[in-house]
Amino acid sequence: MAHTVREDIIITAPLKDVWAYTKPFDTFSLRLFGDQAEITNGKSAEEVGAVRDITVTHNGTHIIERLTHLSDEEFKIRYELVSLGVYGLRKYEAEVTLRPATPQPVHLADIAKGDSTATAQATSPEHHPDITHITLASTFESDDPSATSQSISALYASGLQRLQAHFEKL
């Protein structure tokens, strides 16, 4: 059974700047999580099919991921797990989506509950040009989905906070 994790953050920076910083598949892990990565199959870091080998800083584990979708029009990156060393994840797929933030705060829980006001704000054509909304989401299978979900959620939240801190320094 597939499980889902999703984390969101608002960053005060233009969408094009945040996209340029997060888009390269080889530096994405370093910039969000502090882990080194390199493309290992000769493709460009912005070419679908690129395979990256991530060395996890705190334990030296290698994670191998493949870029499956990259769209400058949608501001979206999608990738899948090829090999994960010791972590027991299966069928892991992740997506990073950037979009202009709405001028009024929108609570995603309200949208999920079907709140028409929140949905209207989230889909409003009025966007703030210097605020970016980023979503990291993944689906996966695991023998311990609760613990895995908590771990992935914490990793995503810390990565998004790291990204936010980068743009706050500018």
Side-chain angles (χ1 to χ4, degrees):
M1 177 176 174
H3 301 277
T4 302
V5 171
R6 177 184 170 138
E7 291 291 330
D8 295 86
I9 200 163
I10 302 295
I11 295 179
T12 305
L15 179 98
K16 65 178 183 57
D17 294 348
V18 179
W19 179 243
Y21 188 75
T22 58
K23 179 171 88 167
F25 195 54
D26 57 342
T27 58
F28 176 81
S29 290
L30 174 65
R31 292 178 173 167
L32 264 70
F33 309 113
D35 298 325
Q36 295 292 327
E38 66 177 303
I39 302 298
T40 60
N41 66 342
K43 294 195 179 254
S44 139
E46 296 180 13
E47 185 178 353
V48 170
V51 174
R52 69 178 173 197
D53 181 348
I54 302 168
T55 303
V56 179
T57 302
H58 73 276
N59 66 9
T61 299
H62 285 265
I63 300 170
I64 311 295
E65 296 172 330
R66 180 181 303 110
L67 182 63
T68 59
H69 178 83
L70 187 141
S71 171
D72 287 323
E73 293 78 31
E74 298 174 295
F75 301 102
K76 188 178 288 188
I77 301 166
R78 197 173 303 128
Y79 56 95
E80 65 186 0
L81 185 66
V82 175
S83 170
L84 188 58
V86 299
Y87 297 105
L89 279 175
R90 296 179 306 280
K91 298 182 181 177
Y92 176 89
E93 295 178 341
E95 184 172 278
V96 181
T97 306
L98 284 67
R99 61 188 170 279
T102 57
Q104 301 173 354
V106 175
H107 300 283
L108 296 176
D110 293 336
I111 294 172
K113 290 189 284 188
D115 181 317
S116 59
T117 303
T119 302
Q121 289 172 358
T123 58
S124 166
E126 296 181 34
H127 298 293
H128 193 289
D130 293 326
I131 300 177
T132 302
H133 182 155
I134 302 177
T135 301
L136 286 178
S138 61
T139 59
F140 62 91
E141 292 182 3
S142 170
D143 294 335
D144 188 351
S146 178
T148 303
S149 292
Q150 289 176 358
S151 295
I152 292 171
S153 183
L155 179 68
Y156 284 3
S158 69
L160 289 171
Q161 289 167 1
R162 181 183 176 114
L163 185 61
Q164 185 180 49
H166 167 79
F167 283 99
E168 287 176 355
K169 287 189 255 180
L170 298 181

